[in-house]
């Protein structure tokens, strides 16, 4: 199994969080109604997308 390390930083813009795995960066944010800037998916949307991706990719093998 791979060794995953994610570095997460809370930005000073709305409720934005930037994640970095050494190769990729991705942003999470909250909607305007939750004091975010709605610049990216919220954490729950990202989690559900990741789960969908895992289920889709593992069903290929």
């Amino acid at each position: 199994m791979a060794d995953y390390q994610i570095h997460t930083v809370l930005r000073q813009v709305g409720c934005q969080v930037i994640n970095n795995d050494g190769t990729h960066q991705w942003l999470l944010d909250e909607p305007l109604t939750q004091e975010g800037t709605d610049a990216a998916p919220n954490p729950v949307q990202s989690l559900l997308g990741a789960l969908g991706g895992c289920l889709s990719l593992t069903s290929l093998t």
Side-chain angles (χ1 to χ4, degrees):
M1 177 171 262
D3 179 29
Y4 295 105
Q5 295 185 11
I6 308 296
H7 182 72
T8 302
V9 175
L10 178 62
R11 300 183 70 208
Q12 298 297 316
V13 179
C15 293
Q16 291 183 5
V17 173
I18 188 106
N19 294 298
N20 186 321
D21 67 3
T23 304
H24 303 96
Q25 289 187 356
W26 62 100
L27 185 66
L28 299 174
D29 196 5
E30 290 289 346
L32 296 172
T33 58
Q34 298 296 316
E35 300 182 16
T37 62
D38 204 22
N42 70 39
V44 174
Q45 291 169 318
S46 183
L47 178 63
L48 292 173
L51 178 60
C54 287
L55 291 172
S56 296
L57 293 174
T58 57
S59 68
L60 297 175
T61 59

